[in-house]
Amino acid sequence: MAASGDRELKRVEKVYSFWGKFPYLYRMQDTITFLGKAGTIRKNAVKKLGLRKGDRVLEVACGSGRNFSYLAEAVGKKGFVLGFDYSREMLNAAKELCRQNRWDNIKLVQGDASQLKIDENGFNGVISVLGISAIPGWEKAIRRCHEVLRYGGRMVVCDARLFGGFLRFLNPAVLLVYSKFAAWDPSKNIPKQMKKVFGNVRAESYNLGTFFIAVSSKKNTAKKAKN
Ligand SMILES: C[S@@+](CC[C@H](N)C(=O)[O-])C[C@H]1O[C@@H](n2cnc3c(N)ncnc32)[C@H](O)[C@@H]1O
């Protein structure tokens, strides 16, 4: 019998095999999901990484590459972007986007983020947009992200949240749609897990609180040796 993690990964594969084959449909749903603010919110999330030209950045669950233009611009031609995703179809769409834009410094790798093991000399930043809430082993994935970051580097997560306040009554419908069409679980407390792993987190809300951008920095907690 398949373990529940395997079943969930199979679901991710199924859902994103569809979106990866139809990247223009994914672009359309992106506009709807972000209520027309996809560009602004994505750009803002990348800005919060605080990247400089020549930096190395990892995008976890990069999908079809909706953040690549912002990341490529932030690190410049001498920088490096690694896009990591479980879905081969989403990565095929990302590959085509890189080819069209001649982004030669973007490398794509397929795998499960909860098992993320990449020896790329460390990253100055790690970002995930609408990715962590879709990853079955998300808590482990955040720990892996912390491991691959250099000290001083930031992890930025932009993800979905359920309605609070008087719009709460919409949540059962939201959960149904997110689960069926995106394999998302927006009830995960991602900022809380980031705080647990990094020891710090700052989060801002967007679109009536239905999206957030959370930022954590990797601190060097090793005590300085006394002379
Ligand atoms: C909603 S899409 C987001 C894609 C992209 N980050 C964006 O901003 O449009 C969620 C992505 O998470 C990926 N994903 C889900 N589980 C994963 C896992 N365990 N490891 C790596 N990627 C995963 C899916 O394949 C999909 O591409």
Side-chain angles (χ1 to χ4, degrees):
M1 204 169 79
S4 67
D6 294 345
R7 267 202 308 273
E8 288 171 354
L9 273 177
K10 285 231 174 313
R11 219 179 117 49
V12 164
E13 207 176 348
K14 192 173 163 206
V15 169
Y16 288 99
S17 148
F18 170 80
W19 291 113
K21 283 179 194 146
F22 302 101
Y24 59 94
L25 283 183
Y26 185 81
R27 274 202 302 279
M28 277 166 61
Q29 76 72 35
D30 200 37
T31 309
I32 297 166
T33 306
F34 279 108
L35 304 175
K37 293 189 187 152
T40 313
I41 297 177
R42 287 176 183 281
K43 208 171 175 174
N44 222 339
V46 170
K47 201 170 158 197
K48 286 184 188 298
L49 283 167
L51 295 170
R52 287 183 293 203
K53 301 287 178 210
D55 274 355
R56 309 168 62 77
V57 61
L58 166 68
E59 180 171 2
V60 171
C62 64
S64 56
R66 304 287 297 144
N67 302 303
F68 284 176
S69 60
Y70 311 113
L71 292 170
E73 196 188 331
V75 299
K77 289 234 175 289
K78 292 198 173 145
F80 172 70
V81 181
L82 182 71
F84 187 90
D85 201 280
Y86 192 70
S87 160
R88 291 189 190 277
E89 286 79 7
M90 288 299 257
L91 286 174
N92 286 342
K95 192 172 167 190
E96 177 56 19
L97 188 73
C98 292
R99 192 192 62 77
Q100 284 169 11
N101 288 281
R102 299 191 184 152
W103 289 323
D104 304 326
N105 55 346
I106 300 184
K107 183 176 160 188
L108 302 170
V109 173
Q110 190 271 337
D112 173 9
S114 69
Q115 309 295 327
L116 181 75
K117 272 200 180 72
I118 294 173
D119 184 14
E120 292 281 352
N121 302 318
F123 292 90
N124 305 94
V126 177
I127 188 165
S128 191
V129 179
L130 301 180
I132 301 290
S133 61
I135 296 172
W138 64 284
E139 286 159 309
K140 243 174 138 182
I142 292 176
R143 286 202 291 273
R144 296 282 91 81
C145 291
H146 179 261
E147 279 167 19
V148 301
L149 257 183
R150 291 181 185 169
Y151 288 119
R154 294 182 194 159
M155 178 174 187
V156 172
V157 175
C158 172
D159 225 305
R161 244 189 203 142
L162 293 172
F163 284 108
F166 74 101
L167 290 174
R168 261 205 196 116
F169 73 95
L170 293 170
N171 287 341
V174 172
L175 273 173
L176 196 74
V177 172
Y178 277 179
S179 149
K180 193 165 171 54
F181 297 106
W184 284 346
D185 176 2
S187 62
K188 294 168 179 170
N189 194 335
I190 297 170
K192 190 173 171 195
Q193 176 68 3
M194 288 169 74
K195 171 118 197 244
K196 189 171 160 196
V197 173
F198 286 79
N200 63 85
V201 72
R202 279 179 291 120
E204 277 173 14
S205 294
Y206 295 82
N207 287 4
L208 297 172
T210 51
F211 283 93
F212 67 88
I213 297 180
V215 185
S216 293
S217 337
K218 180 163 175 175
K219 311 267 190 224
N220 188 350
T221 49
K223 283 187 187 152
K224 284 185 188 148
K226 285 182 186 161
N227 289 321

